[in-house]
Amino acid sequence: EEDALAAAKRALVPPAVRSPDFLQTLSQSTGAKCRCDAVWYGENIAYGCKTCAKSSASCICVACFEAGDHEGHDFYISRSDYGCCDCGDVYAWQSSGFCT
């Protein structure tokens, strides 16, 4: 959480003062939220991975699942009426299961 807080404080620094790699380091900092911004409503397909998920409610979108390395994992496909992709969220998903 401290890394995310420090990153948020750096976000308040005027753009001319920020380092050129600010956005890249922000997305990779501990506590950074989703790299994927997929949100869905209505009938959609989502993947759950019992190997990567940190809770039974965690899921990722099809694109992130296909771009990640889940070979040999205990995963399932489900219908989801609403949700958001947890790929990139270190509080919901193991980083080893993030897409590339």
Side-chain angles (χ1 to χ4, degrees), residues 1-2 4 27 30 35 54-55 57 63-65 68 70 77-78 100:
E1 288 184 321
E2 289 184 36
S27 69
T30 302
R35 289 183 208 162
K54 292 187 176 179
S55 84
C64 287
F65 182 83
H70 299 278
I77 303 169
S78 65
T100 53

Side-chain angles (χ1 to χ4, degrees), residues 11-60:
L12 299 174
V13 175
V17 181
R18 289 187 199 141
S19 66
D21 63 344
F22 171 75
L23 291 178
Q24 183 177 7
T25 57
L26 178 63
S27 69
Q28 296 170 355
S29 66
T30 302
K33 287 292 184 177
C34 296
R35 289 183 208 162
C36 179
D37 61 357
V39 176
W40 54 86
Y41 299 96
E43 282 194 26
N44 285 281
I45 299 294
Y47 280 85
C49 180
K50 294 178 182 180
T51 308
C52 296
K54 292 187 176 179
S55 84
S56 60
S58 297
C59 61
I60 58 174

